[in-house]
Amino acid sequence: MNENLPASARELTDDDWALLALAEHTIESNTDAGPGQDGRHTMAAALVAGDGSRHSAVNLYHFTGGPCAELVVLAAARAAGARDPQVIVAVGNHGRGVKSPCGRCRQVLADAYPTIRVIVPTSSGPRSVAAEDLLPLAFDHAAEQISAAAPHSADPQALS
């Protein structure tokens, strides 16, 4: 497999490996599905904040789009007072390993925490990358808000 990793990709530190272990412990302790079974809690995420605090959470699967583990842990960490998330990782139950964030989570991370490091699987093993590198050419919500607030020209010539 030939991967084009972004320039921000780096090997995991000892702290990153410890964070990954926390996520694995969280899901193995809390999954409600046996191997090969569906369940509501099959993924966990862990993050470390700028103050060194560590937080973990599990997903809540629902066919309507229940929250992913990454979103749950971001909210739980914030509720616990963590204001500066630094690194995040998600893992699957039953030893399924590190999982990349889904598109919705990538967009949330890019909008809310563009410099957070995200541990992702690669052919060379897990690596951490900047969240902003996970979503090239992403929708820019902040720019869209500014654009929506700006007065628009009614001159059709301005569009040509």
Side-chain angles (χ1 to χ4, degrees), residues 28-143:
E28 296 311 334
S29 299
N30 294 293
T31 189
D32 63 346
Q37 294 179 331
D38 291 334
R40 286 188 168 78
H41 308 289
T42 58
M43 297 286 296
L47 75 74
V48 64
D51 64 4
S53 61
R54 294 178 182 277
H55 308 269
S56 64
V58 297
N59 71 321
L60 178 58
Y61 174 79
H62 190 264
F63 75 92
T64 62
C68 297
E70 295 95 329
L71 300 182
V72 176
V73 78
L74 285 166
R78 179 70 183 202
R83 299 293 190 259
D84 187 22
Q86 299 293 303
V87 182
I88 191 168
V89 62
V91 300
N93 62 346
H94 304 300
R96 292 184 296 130
V98 175
K99 301 296 178 186
S100 286
C102 71
R104 177 178 63 170
C105 289
R106 288 173 187 233
Q107 187 69 56
V108 169
L109 290 167
D111 288 342
Y113 306 104
T115 60
I116 192 172
R117 302 221 33 105
V118 182
I119 298 174
V120 296
T122 74
S123 61
S124 302
R127 299 289 187 264
S128 76
V129 300
E132 61 192 356
D133 286 341
L134 290 177
L135 207 55
L137 305 174
F139 177 80
D140 186 345
H141 180 72

